[in-house]
């Protein structure tokens, strides 16, 4: 019996519960992407547990019905170009779903197929409430049931199910855009959207398609920004759709306003900016102010910079406070570069998998080469600056 197996048996006997080598929290794009990479790097199912409080692709299944991927999917694997929305090599949501801009529910179906192909065992209905770093270097994940113990944890719980509801005074009078299941359900003819990025643009376009009147109140004019990074300006897909909505005359775009409060006034709502400007909304204002994310569950285990962004090691996206705890997904940042799109953060799945596999004594050379060959092993972050000549 190997030392590793002896150690595992001893751990089970002493603690009375299974000690997993790797626990992944979240069965979305990041969680399943990391799990697939781990398997490619030699980590077997017996050493891996995947936990999700709902089901595979839960966040995508909760998108508004009208919402579509802003990054296009295209089947181009034969020419050495991976579909922008693929989370593993050799797959393409465009091919699987026959859609260039899939809906959230459709993309969740793609994730289901990835889990099936890689034989990933996802434990659904498990809500991880907190993570504790033990003195022996392991982690305990508290759940509503039996706690889960692991030597390594990959936190991939995402953002969409953790909206920012406290972005301004009176936020309780608003409806967060992530709580809309279909824009057809909203009663009224005139709406006010607070925010200026992708969620705000999607809300404005969806309402304009229903022939509603919309006022968008944004801090920045993202719809005219020439910055090439779609994490900072609107994506071409959103910009094009918003231009159409604006051309109908039903959308009013207001930029340069910092909204500070919302209050009820009889049957209306008053939205106020820091300069005293006010807008009266006939319907409950829509908050499109982003997401808090799920890192609050890792209180005390994650370091943050002066801007509130999580700090992780450049080598492996690992916590600087709790070795063995890794971050994956849209909340990941490096050198001020936001990895919020799938085509960005998927390039770090294999980085995390490589680090863990090496600690488990596995030879990762071939797996690293294979991932590099398909552009899914980004270990040189000096290139992570968007620039375009034209």
């Amino acid at each position: 019996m190997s030392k590793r197996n002896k150690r595992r048996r001893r751990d089970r006997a002493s603690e009375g519960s299974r000690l997993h080598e790797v626990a992944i929290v979240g069965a979305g794009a990041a969680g399943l992407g990391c799990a697939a990479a781990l398997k490619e790097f030699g980590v077997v199912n017996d050493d891996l547990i995947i936990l999700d409080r709902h089901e595979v692709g839960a966040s995508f299944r909760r998108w508004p019905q009208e919402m579509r991927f802003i990054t296009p999917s295209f089947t181009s694997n034969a020419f050495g170009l991976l579909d922008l929305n693929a989370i593993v090599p050799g797959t393409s949501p465009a091919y699987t779903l026959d859609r260039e801009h899939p809906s959230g529910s459709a993309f969740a179906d793609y994730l289901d197929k990835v889990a099936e192909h890689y034989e990933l065992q996802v434990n659904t209905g498990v809500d991880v409430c907190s993570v504790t770093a033990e003195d022996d270097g392991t982690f305990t994940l508290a759940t509503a049931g039996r706690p889960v113990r692991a030597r390594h944890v990959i936190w991939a719980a995402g953002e969409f199910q953790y909206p920012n509801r406290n972005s301004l005074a009176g936020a309780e009078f608003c409806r967060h855009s992530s709580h809309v299941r279909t824009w057809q359900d909203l009663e009224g003819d005139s709406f006010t959207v607070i925010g200026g990025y992708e969620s705000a643009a999607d809300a404005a376009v969806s309402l304009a398609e229903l022939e509603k009147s919309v006022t968008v109140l944004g801090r920045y004019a993202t719809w005219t920004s020439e910055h090439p990074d779609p994490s900072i300006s609107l994506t071409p897909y959103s910009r094009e759709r918003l231009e159409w909505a604006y051309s109908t005359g039903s959308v009013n775009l207001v930029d340069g306003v910092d909204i500070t409060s919302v209050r009820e006034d009889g049957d209306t709502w008053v939205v106020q900016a820091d300069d005293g400007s006010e807008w009266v909304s006939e319907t409950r204002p829509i908050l499109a102010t982003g997401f808090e994310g799920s890192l609050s569950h890792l209180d005390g285990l994650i370091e943050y910079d002066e801007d509130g962004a999580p700090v992780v090691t450049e080598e492996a996206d690992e916590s600087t406070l709790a070795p063995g705890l890794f971050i994956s997904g849209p909340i990941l940042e490096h050198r001020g570069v936001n990895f919020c799109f799938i085509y960005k953060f998927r390039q770090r799945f294999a980085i995390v998998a490589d680090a863990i596999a090496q600690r488990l004594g596995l030879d990762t050379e071939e797996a690293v080469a294979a991932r590099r060959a398909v552009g899914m092993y980004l270990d040189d972050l000096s290139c992570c600056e968007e620039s375009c000549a034209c």
Side-chain angles (χ1 to χ4, degrees):
M1 181 182 294
S2 68
K3 291 183 179 179
R4 182 175 163 198
N5 287 336
K6 287 181 179 179
R7 182 182 64 193
R8 184 183 298 139
R9 178 171 293 182
R10 184 165 59 250
D11 288 332
R12 292 181 187 179
S14 62
E15 297 296 332
S17 63
R18 172 72 181 277
L19 178 60
H20 300 274
E21 294 294 353
V22 188
I24 299 178
V25 181
L32 296 184
C34 283
L38 283 167
K39 295 201 68 175
E40 291 177 13
F41 277 69
V43 178
V44 298
N45 275 337
D46 285 346
D47 288 337
L48 174 65
I49 185 171
I50 307 170
L51 310 171
D52 196 284
R53 63 174 176 170
H54 296 299
E55 69 272 290
V56 170
S59 289
F60 296 104
R61 298 184 193 279
R62 284 160 177 75
W63 279 11
Q65 291 179 15
E66 297 85 355
M67 185 178 286
R68 296 295 181 267
F69 264 69
I70 52 181
T71 45
S73 282
F74 202 83
T75 306
S76 51
N77 291 333
F79 292 87
L81 300 172
L82 192 61
D83 187 318
L84 285 180
N85 296 315
I87 66 168
V88 293
T91 68
S92 169
Y95 175 79
T96 300
L97 306 172
D98 198 25
R99 294 290 184 274
E100 183 175 352
H101 293 277
S103 66
S105 60
F107 189 76
D109 291 339
Y110 160 75
L111 295 180
D112 270 328
K113 294 183 183 300
V114 169
E116 180 181 354
H117 176 75
Y118 279 83
E119 298 181 341
L120 302 176
Q121 300 171 9
V122 180
N123 295 265
T124 59
V126 181
D127 189 1
V128 177
C129 306
S130 64
V131 177
T132 301
E134 306 294 352
D135 293 337
D136 62 358
T138 64
F139 296 91
T140 299
L141 287 67
T143 72
R146 177 179 297 180
V148 175
R149 300 172 56 245
R151 299 187 191 282
H152 308 90
V153 174
I154 300 176
W155 191 264
E159 295 184 310
F160 188 81
Q161 296 184 62
Y162 303 88
N164 183 1
R165 300 191 186 94
N166 301 305
S167 55
L168 47 83
E172 66 273 15
F173 298 126
C174 304
R175 174 187 287 106
H176 198 278
S177 61
S178 65
H179 293 167
V180 177
R181 292 295 166 259
T182 173
W183 296 100
Q184 298 179 49
D185 288 344
L186 273 60
E187 297 181 357
D189 297 317
S190 179
F191 293 85
T192 302
V193 177
I194 302 172
Y197 285 90
E198 299 294 343
S199 296
D202 188 75
V205 171
S206 297
L207 290 167
E209 289 175 341
L210 295 171
E211 299 182 349
K212 309 292 185 180
S213 173
V214 188
T215 296
V216 178
L217 304 174
R219 184 175 297 172
Y220 308 108
T222 55
W223 40 84
T224 60
S225 172
E226 296 182 355
H227 198 288
D229 187 351
S231 298
I232 297 175
S233 59
L234 290 182
T235 60
Y237 180 67
S238 295
R239 191 189 300 262
E240 180 181 12
R241 296 169 67 226
L242 189 58
E243 285 178 356
W244 166 83
Y246 183 77
S247 71
T248 67
S250 60
V251 174
N252 179 29
L253 301 175
V254 182
D255 64 86
V257 293
D258 188 0
I259 302 303
T260 56
S261 66
V262 174
R263 68 179 187 275
E264 283 187 309
D265 186 8
D267 294 332
T268 64
W269 291 261
V270 179
V271 180
Q272 187 173 57
D274 60 349
D275 63 0
S277 302
E278 292 186 344
W279 292 263
V280 177
S281 180
E282 299 175 5
T283 55
R284 188 179 298 276
I286 297 166
L287 277 182
T289 51
F291 306 89
E292 292 182 348
S294 58
L295 291 185
S296 60
H297 293 284
L298 302 179
D299 188 32
L301 301 181
I302 298 294
E303 179 184 0
Y304 297 89
D305 63 19
E306 60 274 11
D307 296 322
V311 177
V312 293
T313 64
E314 184 174 313
E315 296 77 16
D317 301 339
E318 188 173 11
S319 168
T320 56
L321 302 180
L325 173 62
F326 301 82
I327 301 296
S328 182
I331 204 166
L332 182 64
E333 288 194 21
H334 275 297
R335 296 181 179 178
V337 177
N338 195 307
F339 281 67
C340 62
F341 286 96
I342 288 175
Y343 76 87
K344 292 183 177 184
F345 65 72
R346 73 181 181 191
Q347 297 192 76
R348 301 290 292 180
F349 295 162
I351 302 293
V352 173
D354 189 18
I356 294 175
Q358 288 193 43
R359 294 176 193 183
L360 297 181
L362 300 172
D363 183 356
T364 65
E365 185 175 354
E366 289 187 9
V368 168
R371 282 284 172 142
R372 282 193 190 280
V374 294
M376 292 188 71
Y377 195 93
L378 179 63
D379 57 347
D380 181 7
L381 296 173
S382 64
C383 68
C384 295
E385 293 185 9
E386 299 273 0
S387 61
C388 300
C390 60

